[in-house]
Amino acid sequence: MRPTRDAVDPATATPARPDARTLARPPRPLVRVPLAVAGMVAIAAALWGVSTPADVYAIDVFGALRQPGDAAAIIGHRGDRSQAPENTMPALELAMDGLAYVETDVRLTRDGVPVLFHDTDLERIAGRDARVEDLDLERLERIDAGAWYSSEWAGERIPTLEAFLVALAEREDARALVELKADWTPGEVRTVLDLVERHGLRGRVVLQSFSIETLQSIQRVSPTTPRIMLIRELPADPVPLAEQLGLIGFGTTAASVTAAPEAIDAAHEAGIAVLCYTLNSQDRWQEVSALGVDGIITDQPSDLDAWIASTAPGT
């Protein structure tokens, strides 16, 4: 039985990353995520003493990191939540059809099946005093995950990760950020990675987590799987922590990057991406874009896309 608590904010050493500014920029780069407080470096080092070289970089997944004047990548948060219930197939398909990146969350059912769900319990979405971890897939699939959003979506179900990956594989230009909620063991992580491999999605799925334990589990099972640390506060120099955990990037808050803009420069110099979550206003989009973040996770992807189009040079 896996831990039921949600992980809190916070390894293998990676070889020197290429300088992003010397690399050609492919379509839609992605955001770099801020790192934890400086003390987390020591904690990570203590928790993870064995180094395994990692051969994947942010450029391998997102292309060259954002150059001055380039637009940040748009990432649909739990799909397109402005159009359909979060983490349902309609919301995710809308985002995949219109964006280069979609973000979703994964939890394990009691019988060990990865499903797409964010909250610690079912109360907000389904009015149930229960957790995903307490229910077998058969029972979970009977729960209505759409009626809370509107009557139009009544009857939508909580999808399995495999159903999502099938849809992702059908869209050659789409990529996914998949957050593993709470703490995952190496065996649990292997369940997810086996599905990614089965559907031929290596390099198109980035795993992310707030949990050091989960990031270490990914590292043990598959050191070259691209991974991002989610963190609420970015240290002035995020590079040591990124190297310790073999990260290609960080996901952080707007407040964090505005408090430590030099951290973005340090990350970019090391080829590490920085993303910001979850920003839904023009003021915030403008603020983080001016600082050079690589991607913006938003509940309003269509509005952000229109804003970028109207503010980009030459428009």
Side-chain angles (χ1 to χ4, degrees), residues 9 35 40 52 57 73 78 82 89 99 107 127 167 173 177 209 215 220 241 247 283 289:
D9 273 52
L35 304 175
M40 298 310 295
T52 305
Y57 305 99
R78 306 180 202 168
S82 67
M89 289 308 302
L99 305 171
R107 293 184 180 275
D173 294 331
L177 305 185
S209 182
L215 293 168
R220 290 171 180 164
L241 183 57
L247 308 172
D283 287 347
S289 294

Side-chain angles (χ1 to χ4, degrees), residues 33-37 229 231 233-235 237-239 241-242 247 250 252 256:
V33 180
L35 304 175
V37 290
M229 173 182 273
I231 196 164
E233 294 184 16
L234 185 63
D237 183 4
V239 175
L241 183 57
L247 308 172
F250 293 90
T252 192
S256 179

Side-chain angles (χ1 to χ4, degrees), residues 93-308:
E93 288 170 345
L94 283 167
M96 286 188 284
D97 287 340
L99 305 171
Y101 300 95
V102 62
E103 184 270 352
T104 189
D105 311 281
V106 175
R107 293 184 180 275
L108 288 174
T109 63
R110 185 167 61 183
D111 47 345
V113 180
V115 296
L116 307 188
F117 198 79
H118 174 269
D119 294 3
T120 56
D121 59 48
L122 295 158
E123 181 63 37
R124 179 174 66 92
I125 298 298
R128 302 287 188 91
D129 183 19
R131 299 171 302 170
V132 166
E133 291 87 343
D134 297 330
L135 304 176
D136 291 340
L137 179 63
E138 182 180 3
R139 183 176 174 191
L140 193 70
E141 287 183 325
R142 296 198 295 265
I143 292 175
D144 188 330
W148 71 275
Y149 188 89
S150 75
S151 58
E152 175 187 357
W153 298 105
E156 282 298 326
R157 304 304 176 189
I158 297 169
T160 62
L161 174 63
E162 182 157 29
F164 169 68
L165 294 178
V166 168
L168 181 66
E170 293 171 349
R171 296 159 170 85
E172 294 183 358
D173 294 331
R175 296 177 182 179
L177 305 185
V178 175
E179 181 182 349
L180 303 184
K181 304 297 290 185
D183 297 326
W184 290 58
T185 66
E188 291 168 341
V189 166
R190 171 50 66 192
T191 300
V192 169
L193 292 177
D194 284 348
L195 289 173
V196 171
E197 293 285 352
R198 184 183 308 165
H199 294 284
L201 292 167
R202 174 178 282 276
R204 289 176 55 196
V205 172
V206 179
L207 300 184
Q208 57 183 16
S209 182
F210 281 102
S211 167
I212 287 179
E213 178 180 330
T214 297
L215 293 168
Q216 289 175 341
S217 292
I218 299 167
Q219 200 166 29
R220 290 171 180 164
V221 171
S222 179
T224 58
T225 290
R227 52 198 178 274
I228 283 174
M229 173 182 273
L230 299 174
I231 196 164
R232 292 182 176 87
E233 294 184 16
L234 185 63
D237 183 4
V239 175
L241 183 57
E243 292 181 341
Q244 185 68 36
L245 293 171
L247 308 172
I248 67 165
F250 293 90
T252 192
T253 62
S256 179
V257 296
T258 54
E262 70 281 1
I264 298 178
D265 294 335
H268 284 181
E269 288 294 335
I272 301 162
V274 176
L275 317 178
C276 277
Y277 63 83
T278 302
L279 310 184
N280 297 320
S281 71
Q282 291 186 10
D283 287 347
R284 281 304 202 189
W285 299 337
Q286 175 61 48
E287 184 177 36
V288 301
S289 294
L291 292 172
V293 300
D294 304 288
I296 298 172
I297 300 171
T298 181
D299 296 323
Q300 308 288 340
S302 297
D303 290 348
L304 175 54
D305 190 43
W307 178 81
I308 286 176

